[in-house]
Amino acid sequence: MNTALTQQVFDLIRLNNPLIAVESPLQERLRLLKNLAGECQQKNVNCYIWTLEDDQLHQLQVNEDLVLQQVLDYQSIAKNRREHYFEVLRFWKTTNLQGILILEGIFPWLGTNTSDPDFFLTAEWIKSALINLKLYNRNSNKTAILLGPNASLSSDIAAEIPTVTQKLPTVEEISTHLLGVLPNNYSETEIHEIALATVGMYLADIDYGIKQAIASGSTNAQELTKKLSAYKVDLLRRVYNIEFLQPPAIEVGGLDLMQSAFKRYKRLLTPLAKAYNLRLPKGILLIGPPGTGKSYSAKACSQQLGIPMIILEWGSFRSYGNLAEYKLKNLLSLVDRINRVILYLDDFDKGFAGDDDLSRRLAGMLLTWMQERTSDVLIIASANNIEWLPPELTRSGRFDDIFKVDLPNNGERHSIFTLHLARFDYRFRNGNGFSDEEWHRLLKATHRCVGAEIQAIVERAVISTFCLMFKDDVLPVGELPPLNITLSALLEARNNINPLAIREAERIESMRNKADLQGQASSPVDSSIYSVGNVDIFGG
């Protein structure tokens, strides 16, 4: 089977490139080797492979499976004059053998520079040997393919070695592959649905997921789709250190202006908007103090648009060190292939707290991708300290919309309380639950509390109410009596917490003031019956 990647490689060979780099994930290695060896057989070209692990040269052939035959010439010649572990480069330059040589395991010496002198000397020798090999083997019917999962090349050699990268398969490619894998009784529509569920995985991963699902007894299309979706979520978490969420069913208290903006974004995904060349914003930035609902707002956007969300802790990329750019490149390729998805960069500012070269390089990669991408990916980033972000990230044209997510006003706190109380007390599901006077007392007592703190207050009050109602753990006979959450229970729970906006008043006010300078309001002026106009910001 001649894949697009194989076609790219042979196109470069036809252009007389004696040295080519190929980036392919490990799980696709067997399929790629079969494709390369099979294409070589069709063209009557020899195909060889050398691996760093055993320092042996084998000729590749394909019958029903991949066959490796040891090349004894290399073992005898290399053994007699080996000076170091990469004698294969010198051998391929001078041998009478012709065809394609696949070299696995060399890329670590071709990436960024190192301060280790031994590693540096080996890396320089390999680079020199590759350049000599390229010059020596030009027009000699010999091609060396450097193969690995990370084809990162340092700047001094990158221009000399064309690189091709194995991309994630498209929905169409997956559907075609599934036709040869799934039972014949699956309809075209069912196969398309399974393909949609598996976008973001390589074919080898899809095959493994199908085997697992069938082994567990999932034989119909609906069960298989569900199992493969769960397998993909787990795989993406392990490979990319991200969380993949389907559109949640949530309610949001307040932030009406931001919610209206999300509804506009949904219209930009329609065919009518596409006909007018309208697009989603390049990015959305949510700024404000901790606990004000930035992450919750991103989930609300996922719900409004009806598209899944990938949650990434941006600061985690710093822990990858030299692999950070490779990890980010792969992640951006993933979201591009999934297409209609929200990429949520949580705690975006923490990734720039160090103000080092790595942070700037990652920011540059992200900005370039945001400017050039054509996919329907919506970037949402959240930040507490906007001053940590590089100025180029917040200038006009980078993040199209910047929202200030502030401390909730009285009307918003009423909505947030109602949402959380309704989870436990039926009175708040269809009615008010409290009198206006009781609400005024509660809202005054919780001034400067954020959404996360309101949730904590409600849950503490629910626990204390439960413990007072039931002195033992015996399940009552008949219908469960309702939990009636009282104002006094909520006020007592409020007294047991110290809101961050009061505890760290100076720091929180600094965040709010700086957010005011950059962001547009996410909430309108409070026009609810609970609005009290100007109040002492410290709740006095």
Side-chain angles (χ1 to χ4, degrees):
M1 177 175 146
N2 187 10
T3 65
L5 181 66
T6 305
Q7 185 63 51
Q8 284 181 279
V9 171
F10 278 89
D11 286 345
L12 288 171
I13 293 174
R14 277 193 293 273
L15 293 173
N16 198 26
N17 284 287
L19 200 57
I20 301 169
V22 175
E23 180 172 298
S24 176
L26 289 173
Q27 61 267 43
E28 287 292 307
R29 188 59 42 83
L30 180 60
R31 191 189 314 274
L32 175 60
L33 292 177
K34 283 184 178 180
N35 289 337
L36 289 173
E39 188 70 11
C40 283
Q41 283 183 199
Q42 289 185 17
K43 297 179 181 298
N44 200 26
V45 174
N46 290 331
C47 184
Y48 305 94
I49 185 169
W50 174 89
T51 57
L52 179 63
E53 177 193 7
D54 56 8
D55 188 26
Q56 291 186 3
L57 188 65
H58 292 89
Q59 184 171 357
L60 290 179
Q61 294 179 329
V62 179
N63 295 326
E64 291 185 1
D65 210 340
L66 196 64
V67 178
L68 284 77
Q69 183 177 354
Q70 191 173 21
V71 179
L72 299 178
D73 285 352
Y74 172 70
Q75 296 308 120
S76 59
I77 294 174
K79 183 177 180 181
N80 291 333
R81 67 176 191 184
R82 178 180 285 115
E83 296 176 7
H84 51 72
Y85 210 60
F86 297 97
E87 185 65 33
V88 66
L89 298 177
R90 184 177 291 155
F91 171 82
W92 187 247
K93 183 176 73 172
T94 58
T95 182
N96 292 326
L97 298 177
Q98 292 185 338
I100 292 176
L101 170 63
I102 301 169
L103 298 165
E104 282 198 285
I106 289 183
F107 281 120
W109 284 269
L110 303 180
T112 55
N113 292 326
T114 176
S115 58
D116 184 291
D118 292 334
F119 191 95
F120 174 78
L121 289 174
T122 302
E124 290 302 302
W125 187 94
I126 293 173
K127 291 176 186 178
S128 176
L130 288 173
I131 297 302
N132 286 335
L133 186 151
K134 179 178 180 180
L135 296 173
Y136 199 87
N137 285 346
R138 191 174 296 276
N139 300 319
S140 64
N141 296 321
K142 289 199 286 188
T143 303
I145 296 177
L146 311 181
L147 179 61
N150 179 8
S152 298
L153 300 172
S154 60
S155 57
D156 57 342
I157 197 173
E160 299 292 333
I161 307 177
T163 302
V164 293
T165 302
Q166 182 165 0
K167 297 180 179 179
L168 287 161
T170 63
V171 174
E172 293 74 20
E173 290 169 336
I174 295 172
S175 295
T176 301
H177 176 73
L178 290 175
L179 286 172
V181 176
L182 294 176
N184 294 330
N185 60 344
Y186 279 52
S187 69
E188 187 176 326
T189 300
E190 289 172 332
I191 288 177
H192 183 69
E193 289 297 318
I194 294 171
L196 286 175
T198 55
V199 170
M201 294 195 291
Y202 287 100
L203 297 181
D205 297 323
I206 295 172
D207 289 347
Y208 183 76
I210 290 174
K211 288 179 182 177
Q212 272 197 330
I214 293 177
S216 67
S218 301
T219 55
N220 65 60
Q222 187 176 7
E223 290 178 352
L224 183 60
T225 302
K226 186 176 180 181
K227 286 286 181 68
L228 286 173
S229 295
Y231 175 70
K232 182 173 81 170
V233 169
D234 180 65
L235 183 68
L236 297 183
R237 177 186 57 80
R238 289 185 285 112
V239 174
Y240 298 97
N241 195 25
I242 58 175
E243 187 177 359
F244 186 92
L245 296 179
Q246 294 296 340
I250 60 173
E251 294 182 79
V252 180
L255 305 175
D256 292 342
L257 296 180
M258 191 193 303
Q259 297 299 310
S260 297
F262 293 163
K263 292 176 182 177
R264 291 198 302 272
Y265 301 157
K266 183 174 184 178
R267 299 195 64 191
L268 296 177
L269 291 171
T270 62
L272 179 61
K274 300 293 183 187
Y276 282 92
N277 293 320
L278 300 178
R279 58 165 181 82
L280 286 171
K282 291 188 183 74
I284 311 301
L285 184 59
L286 311 179
I287 53 177
T292 48
K294 297 184 289 294
S295 298
Y296 205 75
S297 298
K299 293 178 182 178
C301 186
S302 173
Q303 179 192 40
Q304 287 277 10
L305 272 62
I307 59 178
M309 180 168 70
I310 289 174
I311 303 176
L312 168 70
E313 187 178 339
W314 180 253
S316 67
F317 270 105
R318 295 170 60 86
S319 64
Y320 292 126
N322 290 335
L323 289 176
E325 290 161 289
Y326 166 71
K327 292 278 189 179
L328 180 57
K329 180 189 72 171
N330 285 350
L331 176 61
L332 297 179
S333 297
L334 170 71
V335 296
D336 264 335
R337 181 59 78 205
I338 295 176
N339 192 15
R340 290 198 171 199
V341 68
I342 293 173
L343 177 59
Y344 177 53
L345 307 175
D346 196 13
D347 289 332
F348 192 46
D349 50 330
K350 292 182 181 178
F352 302 97
D355 190 28
D356 54 16
D357 185 56
L358 176 60
S359 298
R360 287 189 288 272
R361 294 201 310 270
L362 292 174
M365 283 186 67
L366 180 67
L367 286 176
T368 300
W369 176 77
M370 288 171 66
Q371 290 288 103
E372 297 178 354
R373 80 183 193 277
T374 57
S375 57
D376 287 327
V377 178
L378 180 62
I379 305 295
I380 301 181
S382 67
N384 297 329
N385 297 285
I386 194 170
E387 69 272 17
W388 287 358
L389 298 179
E392 61 268 24
L393 278 173
T394 54
R395 76 166 178 80
S396 179
R398 300 303 196 190
F399 286 92
D400 292 330
D401 284 332
I402 301 179
F403 288 102
K404 175 189 178 184
V405 187
D406 205 358
L407 303 180
N409 57 42
N410 275 16
E412 289 177 321
R413 291 203 308 285
H414 171 266
S415 297
I416 297 170
F417 265 116
T418 301
L419 286 175
H420 289 299
L421 285 166
R423 293 160 50 203
F424 307 100
D425 189 335
Y426 72 94
R427 294 176 302 161
F428 295 91
R429 295 170 193 171
N430 302 313
N432 222 350
F434 290 149
S435 67
D436 287 346
E437 182 183 354
E438 288 175 312
W439 274 118
H440 279 295
R441 286 184 61 191
L442 179 61
L443 296 176
K444 181 178 181 180
T446 55
H447 184 57
R448 291 180 68 83
C449 286
V450 296
E453 290 163 342
I454 291 172
Q455 180 179 349
I457 289 171
V458 170
E459 290 175 352
R460 289 188 182 193
V462 169
I463 291 172
S464 65
T465 300
F466 170 80
C467 291
L468 286 173
M469 284 181 61
F470 302 101
K471 301 303 182 181
D472 52 45
D473 295 330
V474 177
L475 195 66
V477 177
E479 186 176 349
L480 284 175
L483 290 174
N484 292 322
I485 315 302
T486 63
L487 174 63
S488 59
L490 291 167
L491 293 176
E492 182 181 355
R494 163 62 186 89
N495 289 333
N496 289 327
I497 71 166
N498 189 5
L500 180 65
I502 295 176
R503 188 171 71 249
E504 299 284 347
E506 184 176 348
R507 185 166 67 92
I508 298 302
E509 286 309 301
S510 175
M511 290 181 186
R512 297 178 70 199
N513 292 335
K514 289 172 182 174
D516 265 331
L517 297 175
Q518 295 275 2
Q520 56 184 304
S522 56
S523 303
V525 174
D526 187 6
S527 59
S528 72
I529 62 172
Y530 304 105
S531 172
V532 294
N534 295 321
V535 295
D536 177 1
I537 66 169
F538 294 103

